[in-house]
Amino acid sequence: MGENVRGRAVLVTGAARGIGWAIAKRFAAAGDRVAILDKVPAGAAGDLVAGLDGSGHAVVEADLLDAEAVQAAVDSAAGQLSGLDVLVNNAGIFVAHPITEVDYATWQKHWQATLGVNLIGAANVTWCAVDHMKAQARGGRIVNVSSRGAFRGEPEVPAYGASKAAVNSLTQSLAIALAPYRIAVSAVAPGFVATDMTTDWLKPPGGDEIRAQSPFGRVAEPAEIAAGVFYLASAEAEWASGTILDLNGASYLRT
């Protein structure tokens, strides 16, 4: 998949803030055209586009729990960007629901919402994006944002850990299924990242314990995750299809 002079057409979900915003900025800085798919506050779309380097960017809105809205948003993004070369499935929710501390109704609510966004939403966005990519001789790249929690477990947010383990399986299944179309599929698995979603988790004293999990004594910055995503989306990374790239500062090691 070569990068043309106009740059690639890149769709990033959950990109109005946090890791997704860092990813969108990384691609835009390289001259790519970026579509942000998110639930965007009224009047914020223009500010998001204005915050990206270059031109030709777009914002499309959808609730990932709404399959029809997802399809309309992806089709709109492909139309505005004149195709789709890269999809980054970044959108996700992370809400505490320890099994011994929530009631049954709350337990069900968090499982349904978390799997609905993190797994089924990502799967639906992917289907819709592939519908555009598979017709292109140049192929494409899909990069999923997984988590360290898929491997080490998430006792406070078990639905999140389970959803990300499933995203890893989806990544590897589609890496095989889509290779004949020159579409490479991979994932990054971050540990804790300093974003607005993790602000409360990173407050002392619990945050000090989280930072101590890494021998670097800190958590990741969003730009560090974006760098890994950018590599996996590159022309040179076709042979990395099926990869799940750990980005956790040696806070969890696996073989």
Side-chain angles (χ1 to χ4, degrees), residues 164-200:
K164 294 303 187 178
V167 164
N168 289 345
S169 179
L170 175 66
T171 297
Q172 294 182 323
S173 295
L174 295 185
I176 299 169
L178 296 176
Y181 298 91
R182 295 197 61 208
I183 300 172
V185 188
S186 55
V188 296
F192 265 90
V193 183
T195 69
D196 56 349
M197 190 168 75
T198 61
T199 297
D200 289 341

Side-chain angles (χ1 to χ4, degrees), residues 11-29:
L11 175 61
V12 186
T13 70
R17 61 180 186 169
I19 295 171
W21 177 240
I23 292 169
K25 287 177 67 68
R26 182 68 181 83
F27 281 102

Side-chain angles (χ1 to χ4, degrees), residues 23-37:
I23 292 169
K25 287 177 67 68
R26 182 68 181 83
F27 281 102
D32 296 321
R33 306 181 316 283
V34 178
I36 291 170
L37 192 163

Side-chain angles (χ1 to χ4, degrees), residues 62-73 120 124-125 128:
D63 184 338
L64 292 194
L65 295 173
D66 184 337
E68 291 186 2
V70 164
Q71 186 170 36
I120 298 172
N124 287 344
V125 172
C128 296

